[in-house]
Amino acid sequence: MQDLKAIANRIRRRDLQAVFEAGAGHIGGEMSAIDILTALYFHVLDVDPTAPKKPDRDRFVLSKGHTANALYVTLAEAGFIPKEEVATFLKPYSRLNGHPNCTKVPGVETNTGPLGHGLPVAVGMAKAAQMSGASWRTFVLTGDGEMQEGSNWEAAMAAAHFKLDNLTLIIDHNRLQQGARLADTNNLAPIAPRFAAFGWAVDEIDGNDMDAIVAALAPEARFAGRPKCVVAHTNKGQGISFMRDRVEWHHKVPNREQYEQAMKELEAAAR
């Protein structure tokens, strides 16, 4: 667990630097999701950076595609792309665009950007594995604001109907979306009983607690004949005091003083 926490801290620091240097990004939701991404790529997923398209790999879909930079930094840390390439984020002709592109970036399974697309695609992936008798698993990470999209609930019904126990949905429940709190727009909370009513197995965890994440995503935490939903209670801007739980940091970029303060806080947490 200490190794995973150290990796997550490195990813946070590199993500912060890349957003600051690019002058754009979605840093708040990236910070909330980085612990989950770290657990997936360094403990849970059966993937190989030297063979990113191997047929029996696990699949991961970042449905909240606007947090692509966190995925790029994670992929670089895991060896899918060169670490130095992160410095090209959002620059002209870079393949590291504001939303992930599966035709350009190794390790990206499908293009995401418009919200509400990732879970339906992941259901299709899981159904394909079920039909072919394959053992690989599919994981998808959505935002909680994104769960207002109706396409997600159609996909949730289909996943339960087809008994896709090879599918795990993780909801980054940081309670904030662009411009407002979830409670002030279309409040879905509590989310867990909604998925239980759709026939899913559901866990609720602290999504910034590495032990809890690893336990919830372990193979033994699966339920035969039922897809799995992990409602991960997180904090937007996790790890940075002045960003934490602040709606304006959905896509705000730190100035030099804020960047230096944030980096000091993350470096102190690493010690």
Side-chain angles (χ1 to χ4, degrees):
M1 290 306 126
Q2 288 304 117
D3 288 344
L4 292 175
K5 292 173 185 176
I7 293 169
N9 183 278
R10 284 202 302 274
I11 292 172
R12 278 193 169 89
R13 283 180 281 156
R14 189 64 187 92
D15 184 281
L16 169 67
Q17 180 186 355
V19 169
F20 173 71
E21 292 175 347
H26 291 81
I27 195 166
E30 289 167 0
M31 293 295 151
S32 68
I34 282 172
D35 295 309
I36 295 165
L37 291 172
T38 300
L40 283 166
Y41 277 92
F42 295 93
H43 188 79
V44 176
L45 293 174
D46 181 6
V47 290
D48 182 354
T50 67
K53 292 294 186 182
K54 70 173 186 174
D56 60 345
R57 71 191 182 280
D58 287 338
R59 271 67 166 174
F60 170 69
V61 175
L62 179 68
S63 191
K64 45 179 286 181
H66 54 284
T67 59
N69 189 53
L71 178 61
Y72 298 149
V73 178
T74 303
L75 290 173
E77 186 74 22
F80 284 86
I81 61 176
K83 288 186 177 181
E84 56 270 20
E85 189 174 359
V86 174
T88 72
F89 175 57
L90 296 182
K91 291 185 177 177
Y93 308 110
S94 172
R95 58 180 178 172
L96 304 186
N97 299 323
H99 295 86
N101 188 322
C102 67
T103 65
K104 295 181 178 181
V105 184
V108 174
E109 293 292 347
T110 188
N111 295 18
T112 53
L115 298 177
H117 286 193
L119 180 57
V121 170
V123 168
M125 291 175 173
K127 181 60 178 172
Q130 183 191 66
M131 291 175 68
S132 63
S135 61
W136 50 266
R137 302 167 66 191
T138 300
F139 298 81
V140 55
L141 177 63
T142 71
D144 50 4
E146 178 182 3
M147 294 309 299
Q148 296 169 72
E149 298 283 354
S151 53
N152 283 318
W153 298 101
E154 294 179 32
M157 284 189 287
H161 174 76
F162 291 116
K163 305 183 188 305
L164 298 180
D165 54 10
N166 57 354
L167 173 66
T168 300
L169 163 66
I170 309 156
I171 301 175
D172 183 5
H173 191 12
N174 60 31
R175 306 171 303 284
L176 299 172
Q177 59 189 91
Q178 181 173 327
R181 291 188 171 272
L182 188 68
D184 298 328
T185 52
N186 184 2
N187 194 8
L188 296 170
I191 297 174
R194 296 176 186 268
F195 272 89
F198 273 69
W200 288 55
V202 184
D203 273 350
E204 284 197 84
I205 65 168
D206 179 344
N208 295 130
D209 182 297
M210 195 62 71
D211 297 87
I213 299 166
V214 167
L217 300 181
E220 57 268 24
R222 297 170 64 182
F223 290 78
R226 299 168 70 189
K228 176 78 173 287
C229 174
V230 178
V231 180
H233 294 269
T234 63
N235 295 290
K236 206 149 198 165
Q238 176 69 17
I240 302 171
S241 61
F242 60 88
M243 292 185 190
R244 194 175 188 270
D245 201 34
R246 296 294 297 269
V247 68
E248 65 266 28
W249 286 102
H250 180 80
H251 53 52
K252 187 177 177 180
V253 177
N255 59 31
R256 169 65 67 177
E257 182 180 356
Q258 291 168 327
Y259 168 72
E260 291 176 355
Q261 179 184 340
M263 191 61 77
K264 285 179 181 177
E265 292 183 9
L266 292 174
E267 288 172 348
R271 293 195 286 270

